[in-house]
């Protein structure tokens, strides 16, 4: 029989890291060939065992070698790093010195990797000293390792210093610095590094790794210019990789640019890049923000087709999307078939019922969550408290607040406190709400005073309303909404002089009202309308149809409500078309472009004003369509002349 060479086994080991085969080969090597002690065979065996996760055997093989040079140590250290056993890797590194073996430029990057992953700064610093001693500071792999290590340990100045002093850099060096800033939450600095790389990177270009390095920080918001810069980088250099698309979409979503996120997603589809569960979970919140229900549904179909579920992250995103689009049934369907549910899942459902105005169901959802064994967290109390407040469930809301503080021993945060003030205020307990604020252990913020002021408007409590307004003008003098509320309080009391004072106060302080914007989805495309918008291609048609509609509305009793108080946020001039509120334009746009009876879904950034609310009720009756408007506060489901909010929003 022809003797099988060691090389033959080495080749097989390279190809099949499969534990069964590996053991067979190993035993044959020992029994028949006695090749098992040849050092290059042992190294292969060590690597193969490590790849199969059998790190103990790797270490045994290492121990059995009588003569160990640096390569053996390198393989063992790398094996531990690859198996995420960083402390073991560092232990082997330290033992090198007992064996009188000197680490080389392959050892140190692995050691630095272990230090980074375990955030072990002391060993990292020692290693850096060793780098200098051995004159390895010009080695690019070592330099990259140091940048990453300091970044992971939060020593950003050192990352930057190592980077600056590197004689030679590759893309990984740049990406390591980007990652160092991004991981520590300095997104804008990370982007600055990208900018410099593009401008003076000596021909080096950002790649998918750069985008991936940026990703840990995308949750923090950034300047618009930086988003533009990222887009530029993405289009120019990194569009080939799925990671880049995912990061770019996530950046748009976390910077409140849902329309760009959705458009990029559509572009991605046409570009032929297949989305994965991360893409889907990133873009679904944008669909929710835009009420882009049909796109959301399409993505849901895709998820089913590609079998991306069960996946908690995706399923939670689907529930959230359906809830924000006002499609409670669909949210519930996703919820019902889920195999595992976490506190996010339950909280989304509670909030879905709450936003739809179904306080009772929100409450029973919350109770079901407790029964199912999922422990509520402090975030999960916010939607249940707010649901109680919107549905006027005073006692139950108070009960939940008590459970939160007494049973779960959670310290109520400002959001919870604002919910409770809202709960009391809406129920007409203005004095109790005011007392509650005065006894708070934390300094009340503008949301809390704002909730009180709203309640004062509804229940016409001038005295406490003025106190709340005083606090608000100090806390947030630039916010138009509160001036409007206060002027409404005055108007209700017939104090027109004071209304005028508020107006001039706003003028003097230069308070600008946020422009009203409505979004609507049609054939998977989101259309945006501003107040008095004439930029839409169908603008002429829209205004013509609106005129016809207003005529019909007046026939059945519509009187435009142009009260002399400031409107909630926007002002509309009924005399001409210049300032027609955006939701009216969006609704008419859908009426023109869809089949009869198709429901209409609009998202608006501000509160719906009283006139639009009345108008939409009439429109829903005339065109016989369901109209669902999500404004800054809640959902309005208009049907046959009635709104689900009971005219209280
Ligand atoms: Zn309006
Ligand atoms: Zn309503």
């Amino acid at each position: 029989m022809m003797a099988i060479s060691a090389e033959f086994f080495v080749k097989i080991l390279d190809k099949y890291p499969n534990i069964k085969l590996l053991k067979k080969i190993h035993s044959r090597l020992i029994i028949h060939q006695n090749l098992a002690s040849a050092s290059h065979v042992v190294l292969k065996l060590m690597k193969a065992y490590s790849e199969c996760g059998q790190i103990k055997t790797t270490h045994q093989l290492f121990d059995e070698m009588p003569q160990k040079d640096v390569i053996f140590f390198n393989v063992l250290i790398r094996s531990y790093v690859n198996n995420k056993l960083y402390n073991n890797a560092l232990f082997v590194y330290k033992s090198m010195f007992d064996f009188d073996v000197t680490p080389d430029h392959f050892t140190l990057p692995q050691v630095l990797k272990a230090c980074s992953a375990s955030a072990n700064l002391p060993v990292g610093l020692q290693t850096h000293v060793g780098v200098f001693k051995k004159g390895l500071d010009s080695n690019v792999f070592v330099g990259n390792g140091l940048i990453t290590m300091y970044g992971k340990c939060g020593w950003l100045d050192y990352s930057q210093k190592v980077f600056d002093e590197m004689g030679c850099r590759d893309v990984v060096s740049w990406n390591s610095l980007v990652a160092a800033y991004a991981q520590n939450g300095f997104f804008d600095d990370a982007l600055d590094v990208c900018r410099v790389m593009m401008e003076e990177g000596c021909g080096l270009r950002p790649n998918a790794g750069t985008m991936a390095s940026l990703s840990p920080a995308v949750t923090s918001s950034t300047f618009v210019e930086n988003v533009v810069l990222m887009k530029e980088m993405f289009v120019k250099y990194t569009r080939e990789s799925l990671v880049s698309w995912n990061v770019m979409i996530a950046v748009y979503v976390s910077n409140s640019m849902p329309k760009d996120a959705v458009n990029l997603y559509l572009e991605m589809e046409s570009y032929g890049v297949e989305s994965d569960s991360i893409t889907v979970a990133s873009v679904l919140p944008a669909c929710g923000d835009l009420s882009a229900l049909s796109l959301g549904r399409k993505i849901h179909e895709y998820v089913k087709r590609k079998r991306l579920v069960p996946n908690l992250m995706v399923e939670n995103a689907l529930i959230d999307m359906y809830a924000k689009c006002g499609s409670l049934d669909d949210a519930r369907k996703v919820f019902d078939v889920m195999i595992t549910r976490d506190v996010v899942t339950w909280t989304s459902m509670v909030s879905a019922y709450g936003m739809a105005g179904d306080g009772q169901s929100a409450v029973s959802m919350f109770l079901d969550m407790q029964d199912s064994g999922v422990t509520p967290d402090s975030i999960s109390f916010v939607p249940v408290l707010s649901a109680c407040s919107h549905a006027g469930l005073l006692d139950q809301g108070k009960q939940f607040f008590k459970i939160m503080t007494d049973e779960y021993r959670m310290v109520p945060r400002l959001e919870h406190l604002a919910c409770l003030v809202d709960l009391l205020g809406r129920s007409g307990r203005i004095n109790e709400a005011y007392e509650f604020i005065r006894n708070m252990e934390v300094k009340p913020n503008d949301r809390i005073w704002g909730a009180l002021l709203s309640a004062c408007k509804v229940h016409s409590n001038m005295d406490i309303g003025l106190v709340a307004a005083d606090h608000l003008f100090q806390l947030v003098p630039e916010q138009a909404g509160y001036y409007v509320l206060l002027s409404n309080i005055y108007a209700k009391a017939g104090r027109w002089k004071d209304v005028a004072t508020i107006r001039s106060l706003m003028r003097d302080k230069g308070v600008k009202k946020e422009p009203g914007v409505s979004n609507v989805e049609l054939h998977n495309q989101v259309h945006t309308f501003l107040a008095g918008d004439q930029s839409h291609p169908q603008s002429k048609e829209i205004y013509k149809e609106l005129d016809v509609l207003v005529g019909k509305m007046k026939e059945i009793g519509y009187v435009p409500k142009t009260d002399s108080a400031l409107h909630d946020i926007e002002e509309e001039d009924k005399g001409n078309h210049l300032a027609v509120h955006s939701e009216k334009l969006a609704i008419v746009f859908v009426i023109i472009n869809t089949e009869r009876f198709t429901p209409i879904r609009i998202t608006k950034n501000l509160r719906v004003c009283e006139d639009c609310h009345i108008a939409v009720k009439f429109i829903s009756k005339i065109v016989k369509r369901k109209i669902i408007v999500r404004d800054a506060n809640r959902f309005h489901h208009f049907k046959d002349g009635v709104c689900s909010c009971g005219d209280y929003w």
Side-chain angles (χ1 to χ4, degrees):
M1 193 181 115
M2 206 174 71
I4 300 170
S5 71
E7 275 61 37
F8 174 76
F9 285 107
V10 167
K11 260 188 199 151
I12 295 182
L13 288 173
D14 265 345
K15 263 191 186 158
Y16 307 101
N18 158 327
I19 188 65
K20 246 173 136 180
L21 187 62
L22 180 58
K23 280 187 173 157
K24 234 182 194 164
I25 296 170
H26 192 182
S27 56
R28 282 199 57 179
L29 275 165
I30 295 167
I31 301 164
H32 299 294
Q33 311 280 342
N34 201 26
L35 290 168
S37 56
S39 60
H40 70 300
V41 177
V42 175
L43 287 171
K44 280 286 170 194
L45 279 170
M46 282 172 70
K47 280 184 200 164
Y49 274 109
S50 155
E51 266 172 58
C52 295
Q54 304 281 319
I55 186 78
K56 264 193 182 156
T57 316
T58 305
H59 205 135
Q60 257 166 34
L61 288 165
F62 173 87
D63 283 341
E64 285 161 11
M65 276 311 277
Q67 290 293 318
K68 293 184 259 279
D69 60 8
V70 65
I71 301 172
F72 277 88
F73 280 93
N74 288 350
V75 170
L76 187 60
I77 291 172
R78 188 191 298 269
S79 299
Y80 274 123
V81 170
N82 288 347
N83 282 280
K84 299 192 163 67
L85 295 162
Y86 306 114
N87 286 331
N88 299 52
L90 295 178
F91 191 76
V92 176
Y93 169 62
K94 278 182 202 154
S95 74
M96 287 177 87
F97 302 97
D98 303 332
F99 284 88
D100 244 355
V101 176
T102 315
D104 65 6
H105 62 288
F106 287 114
T107 323
L108 294 175
Q110 290 303 319
V111 172
L112 289 169
K113 213 169 163 185
C115 294
S116 302
S118 56
N120 191 332
L121 186 62
V123 181
L125 286 167
Q126 276 171 34
T127 314
H128 197 172
V129 175
V131 166
F132 275 123
K133 275 192 194 152
K134 288 175 202 69
L136 286 171
D137 48 321
S138 61
N139 181 287
V140 68
F141 297 108
V142 174
N144 295 349
L146 283 168
I147 295 172
T148 303
M149 185 272 294
Y150 283 123
K152 278 274 166 68
C153 296
W155 282 34
L156 282 173
D157 292 352
Y158 279 67
S159 292
Q160 182 72 53
K161 199 161 178 286
V162 172
F163 178 85
D164 289 341
E165 287 169 3
M166 277 171 93
C168 155
R169 301 177 190 126
D170 61 7
V171 179
V172 179
S173 320
W174 289 90
N175 290 352
S176 305
L177 191 62
V178 170
Y181 281 114
Q183 281 153 4
N184 288 284
F186 295 99
F187 191 55
D188 290 322
D189 295 270
L191 277 168
D192 262 345
V193 178
C194 297
R195 181 183 293 120
V196 179
M197 162 154 56
M198 285 192 276
E199 282 164 7
E200 49 193 83
C202 305
L204 294 174
R205 292 166 168 183
N207 58 13
T210 319
M211 292 296 266
S213 300
L214 282 166
S215 66
V218 293
T219 42
S220 60
S221 60
T222 180
F223 300 113
V224 181
E225 309 93 79
N226 279 334
V227 178
V228 174
L229 171 88
M230 251 186 110
K231 179 72 194 289
E232 227 178 85
M233 187 167 97
F234 166 76
V235 171
K236 242 175 158 174
Y237 306 114
T238 76
R239 203 166 19 168
E240 307 309 317
S241 131
L242 175 61
V243 175
S244 303
W245 290 88
N246 286 350
V247 173
M248 200 61 225
I249 289 171
V251 164
Y252 279 138
V253 172
S254 54
N255 286 287
S256 309
M257 299 166 81
K259 205 173 165 184
D260 298 83
V262 162
N263 286 341
L264 195 66
Y265 175 79
L266 295 172
E267 201 186 315
M268 174 175 172
E269 277 195 324
S270 61
Y271 201 76
V273 178
E274 250 195 37
S275 41
D276 63 1
S277 52
I278 295 173
T279 326
V280 167
S282 312
V283 77
L284 282 172
C287 298
D289 285 343
L290 298 165
S291 285
L293 183 60
S294 61
L295 179 60
R297 283 223 169 93
K298 226 179 101 195
I299 295 172
H300 192 179
E301 285 305 313
Y302 176 85
V303 163
K304 286 188 207 158
R305 211 167 51 240
K306 294 282 170 186
R307 296 172 195 275
L308 297 178
V309 277
N311 174 320
L312 199 54
M313 180 179 68
V314 171
E315 287 163 312
N316 284 348
L318 282 166
I319 290 181
D320 181 61
M321 179 275 294
Y322 281 128
K324 281 194 196 145
C325 290
S327 192
L328 197 56
D329 292 348
D330 288 300
R332 185 63 203 238
K333 268 185 213 153
V334 176
F335 176 84
D336 283 340
V337 298
M338 282 173 80
I339 298 164
T340 32
R341 304 184 181 110
D342 65 359
V343 67
V344 177
T345 321
W346 288 96
T347 307
S348 304
M349 275 317 291
V350 172
S351 147
Y353 281 116
M355 278 197 288
D358 187 350
Q360 280 301 355
S361 299
V363 167
S364 53
M365 249 302 148
F366 192 89
L367 298 174
D368 286 349
M369 164 169 71
Q370 285 181 302
D371 290 344
S372 80
V374 171
T375 313
D377 59 8
S378 99
I379 296 168
S380 64
F381 275 97
V382 176
V384 78
L385 287 171
S386 129
C388 288
S389 132
H390 278 265
L393 305 171
L394 177 65
D395 294 334
Q396 253 162 326
K398 279 175 147 177
Q399 185 65 25
F400 278 119
F401 192 79
K402 212 169 136 55
I403 290 172
M404 182 180 90
T405 50
D406 295 1
E407 210 172 290
Y408 290 100
R409 307 218 158 267
M410 292 173 188
V411 179
R413 299 203 302 226
L414 287 164
E415 316 74 305
H416 303 116
L417 298 170
C419 283
L420 203 71
V421 170
D422 196 52
L423 179 73
L424 294 167
R426 277 175 192 264
S427 318
R429 313 244 176 145
I430 310 276
N431 288 316
E432 200 179 327
Y434 182 42
E435 255 334 279
F436 180 73
I437 293 177
R438 296 217 300 178
N439 291 325
M440 272 179 197
E441 281 172 24
V442 287
K443 190 172 181 280
N445 66 356
D446 61 313
R447 298 264 323 260
I448 291 173
W449 288 116
L452 186 65
L453 182 60
S454 301
C456 290
K457 182 212 157 189
V458 174
H459 297 285
S460 305
N461 189 322
M462 179 76 72
D463 298 340
I464 295 180
L466 285 174
V467 176
D470 254 356
H471 283 277
L472 283 166
F473 293 153
Q474 276 167 28
L475 285 167
V476 279
E478 71 290 343
Q479 275 198 24
Y482 297 130
Y483 291 85
V484 175
L485 265 179
L486 183 64
S487 85
N488 280 329
I489 292 180
Y490 285 135
K492 231 175 159 177
R495 289 169 57 170
W496 303 113
K497 246 192 185 162
D498 292 315
V499 172
T501 312
I502 294 284
R503 272 177 195 270
S504 63
L505 204 65
M506 283 177 80
R507 234 186 342 263
D508 293 348
K509 291 200 177 178
V511 175
K512 288 243 168 57
K513 294 181 206 160
E514 194 185 341
V517 181
S518 290
N519 282 308
V520 65
E521 182 199 44
L522 185 75
H523 311 314
N524 290 329
Q525 264 234 313
V526 175
H527 297 257
T528 302
F529 293 90
L530 296 162
D533 207 334
Q534 305 208 22
S535 62
H536 196 277
Q538 282 182 289
S539 200
K540 263 203 178 132
E541 245 182 290
I542 292 171
Y543 285 103
K544 216 174 123 196
E545 180 63 27
L546 183 60
D547 277 343
V548 175
L549 212 47
V550 170
K552 285 185 192 163
M553 283 153 65
K554 282 182 176 160
E555 275 171 30
I556 56 170
Y558 169 64
V559 184
K561 203 172 160 62
T562 48
D563 53 21
S564 25
L566 287 169
H567 268 306
D568 279 24
I569 326 296
E570 280 177 285
E571 274 181 284
E572 196 174 37
D573 179 1
K574 299 295 173 314
N576 62 45
H577 285 148
L578 283 173
V580 175
H581 280 177
S582 55
E583 57 266 55
K584 285 182 184 141
L585 298 175
I587 287 168
V588 174
F589 168 71
V590 181
I591 292 174
I592 296 174
N593 289 292
T594 54
E595 302 266 316
R596 290 176 67 194
F597 311 129
T598 314
I600 302 170
R601 290 165 200 280
I602 312 284
T603 328
K604 167 145 204 207
N605 63 333
L606 309 173
R607 247 152 56 106
V608 178
C609 80
E610 246 175 296
D611 176 60
C612 285
H613 199 265
I614 296 169
V616 178
K617 285 201 283 188
F618 278 110
I619 295 173
S620 74
K621 194 169 184 168
I622 291 166
V623 301
K624 296 193 173 53
R625 296 196 196 208
K626 259 200 221 171
I627 303 174
I628 298 140
V629 179
R630 191 183 82 212
D631 73 0
N633 265 8
R634 59 170 297 144
F635 274 103
H636 301 266
H637 290 256
F638 297 91
K639 204 185 146 193
D640 205 20
V642 185
C643 181
S644 63
C645 73
D647 298 335
Y648 183 20
W649 73 98

